[in-house]
């Protein structure tokens, strides 16, 4: 890297009531919202994308997973870059890359171009996602961090839920292309706010060398696993899929070996064996696998299988938006008082009940009883879960490693989502043109949703066993 290292004393910690604190929160929320919205809104557009670009299940799955793969594999590197060269600087770079790739997605003339542009979008998302939370962690004083993280979690969670609604309206009123083009003006606003109001910060003790081989192992391992699962579910199967799965497992197994020998590892060996950090991330992997598949399947299933319009399918998640908007800050306060274990146990169980109830949705379903009410139960569990999970991950390492903690937790979350979405055609029997076939979607929808409910229950049980109260630093 040729960027100069940032110099000078660390910024003075912000207090919650300061005007500049609100601007910092606005920049990090809007920047993160770009990636969170994009992670959900694209699912609403998939049926329209498939019809316009003549894309089958494998191509549509990769429209989602090309983005998630780049984000999951490179978010650790994004955190390291922020710690070394300035979190504000890398955050801005990520926003610019994300905006440029969004424009390319909106102008794509074929599925291959769209998938490539989505991968570049994921690179930008990896840079800004890890640094956004690290900026919050280092900008606020210790007494205000939990509240700031709670507000960030709630508002970005709301953005995730608003994404399908906004996407449904854009797809129905204009074109699926506007799902991507609308990111550009938001990114411009983020750049302006960040340049004016966000302080620069870094970790002066960070080694200037970057662990590029470690990042390559993650890209190769996750890419091979995703290809293997997608090929298997798409009906290719056979030796090619098996070889890809085996290669992916070997590459990921080589990652911790590489980290022990690297001069400047993406994840220090001490962190790799730290009990609290490993526990939180094990829970994250399971829970975000379920959440990634749910947000992918629900809006597709309601459109293709149940016959809802894009806007109607998106409105089905409105209760999630409302609950997260109103109660996520309170979840942050609850976490600061009782610790993360209780909400991380109860939240997934409540969310799992909501997903199980959502599995009944289909043609002729009662919109209130079979869609909105289950979505409200799911949203209540999600509201209880997200803030303590984020806070527990960040509190498991020293504050100077905020970029590392944020990057690692995001990498694990996106990895869970990536692998779960890749497995959806396999679990639901939706290979070939399955994601655009109403009868096959109806058959596979309930199966996938029950699998997600089981994952959420397993995540809650795992939290009860492995999460400490209070969250401890290694």
């Amino acid at each position: 890297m040729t960027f100069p290292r940032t110099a000078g004393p660390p910024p003075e910690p912000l207090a919650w009531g300061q005007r500049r604190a609100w601007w910092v929160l606005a920049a990090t929320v809007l920047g993160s919202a770009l990636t969170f919205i994009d992670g959900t809104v694209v699912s609403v557009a998939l049926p329209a994308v498939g019809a316009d670009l003549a894309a089958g299940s494998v191509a549509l799955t990769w429209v989602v997973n090309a983005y998630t793969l780049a984000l999951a594999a490179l978010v650790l590197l994004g955190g390291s870059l922020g710690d070394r060269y300035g979190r504000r600087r890398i955050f801005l770079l990520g926003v610019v890359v994300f905006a440029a790739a969004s424009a390319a997605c909106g102008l794509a003339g074929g599925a291959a171009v769209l998938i490539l542009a989505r991968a570049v979008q994921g690179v930008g998302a990896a840079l800004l996602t890890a640094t956004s939370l690290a900026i919050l962690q280092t900008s606020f004083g210790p007494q205000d961090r939990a509240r700031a993280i709670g507000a960030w979690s709630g508002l970005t969670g709301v953005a995730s839920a608003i994404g399908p609604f906004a996407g449904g309206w854009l797809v129905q009123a204009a074109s699926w292309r506007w799902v991507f083009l609308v990111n550009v003006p938001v990114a411009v606003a983020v750049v302006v706010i960040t340049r004016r109001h966000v302080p620069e910060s870094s970790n002066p003790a960070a080694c200037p060398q970057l662990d590029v081989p470690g990042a390559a192992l993650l890209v190769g391992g996750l890419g091979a696993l995703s290809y293997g699962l997608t090929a298997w579910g798409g009906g290719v199967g056979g030796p090619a899929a098996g070889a890809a799965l085996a290669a992916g497992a070997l590459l990921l197994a080589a990652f911790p070996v590489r980290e022990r020998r690297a001069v400047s590892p993406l994840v220090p060996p001490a962190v790799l064996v730290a009990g609290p950090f490993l526990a939180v991330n094990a829970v994250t992997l399971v829970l975000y696998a379920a959440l990634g598949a749910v947000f992918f399947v629900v809006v597709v299933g309601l459109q293709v299988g149940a016959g809802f319009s894009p806007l109607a399918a998106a409105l089905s998640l409105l209760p999630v938006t409302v609950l997260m908007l109103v109660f996520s800050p309170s979840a942050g306060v609850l976490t600061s008082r009782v610790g993360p274990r209780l909400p991380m146990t109860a939240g997934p169980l409540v969310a799992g009940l909501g997903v199980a109830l959502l599995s009944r949705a289909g043609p002729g379903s009662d919109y209130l009883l079979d869609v909105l009410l289950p979505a409200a139960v799911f949203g209540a569990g999600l509201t209880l879960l997200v803030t303590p999970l984020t806070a527990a991950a960040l509190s498991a390492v020293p504050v100077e490693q905020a970029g590392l903690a944020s990057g690692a937790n995001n990498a694990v979350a996106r990895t869970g989502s990536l692998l779960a979405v890749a497995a959806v055609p396999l679990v639901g029997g939706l290979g070939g043109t399955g994601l655009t076939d109403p009868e096959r979607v109806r058959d596979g929808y309930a199966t996938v949703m029950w699998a997600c409910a089981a994952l959420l229950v397993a995540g809650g049980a795992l939290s009860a066993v492995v999460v400490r109260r209070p969250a401890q630093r290694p």
Side-chain angles (χ1 to χ4, degrees):
M1 298 292 296
T2 57
F3 291 153
R5 298 288 294 269
T6 55
E12 188 71 22
L14 298 173
W16 180 252
Q18 287 181 256
R19 182 179 179 183
R20 190 178 189 186
W22 291 109
W23 282 115
V24 171
L25 183 63
T28 55
V29 166
L30 285 174
S32 300
L34 286 171
T35 66
F36 278 83
I37 290 174
D38 209 74
T40 56
V41 70
V42 174
S43 297
V44 179
L46 285 180
V49 171
D52 190 21
L53 301 182
S57 292
V58 171
L60 292 178
T61 301
W62 276 107
V63 168
V64 174
N65 271 357
Y67 171 85
T68 312
L69 171 61
L71 175 56
L74 298 177
V75 72
L76 277 172
L77 188 62
S80 295
L81 286 168
D83 285 344
R84 287 162 173 77
Y85 302 108
R87 293 159 185 140
R88 174 180 176 269
R89 176 182 292 164
I90 299 302
F91 178 79
L92 283 170
L93 177 62
V95 173
V96 171
V97 171
F98 189 92
S102 295
C105 288
L107 300 174
V113 175
L114 177 59
I115 291 170
L116 178 61
R118 287 281 288 161
V120 177
Q121 245 191 337
V123 174
L127 297 177
L128 72 90
T129 297
T131 49
S132 65
L133 262 180
I135 287 170
L136 275 186
Q137 184 81 347
T138 55
S139 295
F140 284 86
Q143 70 278 8
D144 292 314
R145 282 180 191 140
R147 177 181 269 182
I149 292 170
W152 178 91
S153 297
L155 293 172
T156 52
V158 167
S160 299
I162 287 176
F165 166 72
W169 181 79
L170 287 170
V171 171
Q172 191 165 313
S175 166
W176 64 266
R177 298 181 183 277
W178 282 101
V179 166
F180 300 104
L181 295 175
V182 75
N183 291 333
V184 177
V186 178
V188 171
V190 174
V191 169
V192 172
I193 294 172
T194 302
R195 287 180 61 87
R196 290 183 178 179
H197 301 286
V198 174
E200 184 61 281
S201 65
S202 64
N203 179 9
C207 177
Q209 296 186 29
L210 290 172
D211 185 17
V212 176
L217 286 173
L218 289 178
V219 172
L222 293 177
L225 284 179
S226 300
Y227 172 80
L229 289 171
T230 305
W232 193 5
V236 178
L245 291 172
L250 287 173
L251 288 172
L252 291 181
F255 176 72
V257 177
R258 160 66 195 178
E259 297 306 278
R260 293 189 187 97
R261 300 176 179 177
V263 174
S264 179
L266 291 176
V267 183
V271 174
L272 284 172
V273 297
F277 194 68
L278 289 179
V280 171
N281 282 287
V283 174
T284 299
L285 181 70
V286 175
L287 294 181
Y288 272 85
L291 297 179
V294 167
F295 280 108
F296 177 79
V297 169
V298 166
V299 287
V300 174
L302 293 180
Q303 286 183 79
V304 179
F308 286 83
S309 68
L311 182 57
L315 281 172
S316 66
L317 295 174
L318 185 60
V320 180
T321 304
V322 174
L323 288 168
M324 295 199 74
L325 177 62
V326 174
F327 294 110
S328 281
S330 299
V333 175
L334 175 66
T335 300
S336 66
R337 291 179 178 175
V338 305
R341 183 180 180 182
L342 178 60
M344 286 177 63
T345 300
L349 299 180
V350 175
L353 175 61
V355 171
L357 294 173
L358 272 171
S359 69
R360 302 179 301 171
S365 293
D366 184 282
Y367 191 73
L368 176 61
L369 295 179
D370 296 327
V371 179
L372 290 183
L373 181 59
V377 177
F378 173 61
L382 201 59
T383 302
L384 193 59
L385 157 69
V386 171
T387 298
L389 183 61
T390 304
L394 288 179
S395 65
V397 299
V399 66
E400 62 270 14
Q401 292 180 317
L404 166 65
S406 174
N409 191 245
N410 272 284
V412 172
R414 304 313 155 199
T415 297
S417 178
L418 170 73
L419 298 180
V421 171
V424 162
L426 175 64
V427 174
L430 298 171
T433 59
L435 286 175
T436 57
D437 185 327
E439 184 175 350
R440 292 177 64 188
V441 167
R442 285 193 290 270
D443 291 339
Y445 172 79
T447 301
V448 174
M449 293 296 281
W450 275 105
C452 292
L455 280 175
L456 287 166
V457 171
L462 185 62
S463 295
V465 174
V466 303
V467 174
R468 307 282 180 87
R469 182 193 179 280
Q472 298 176 359
R473 297 185 184 277

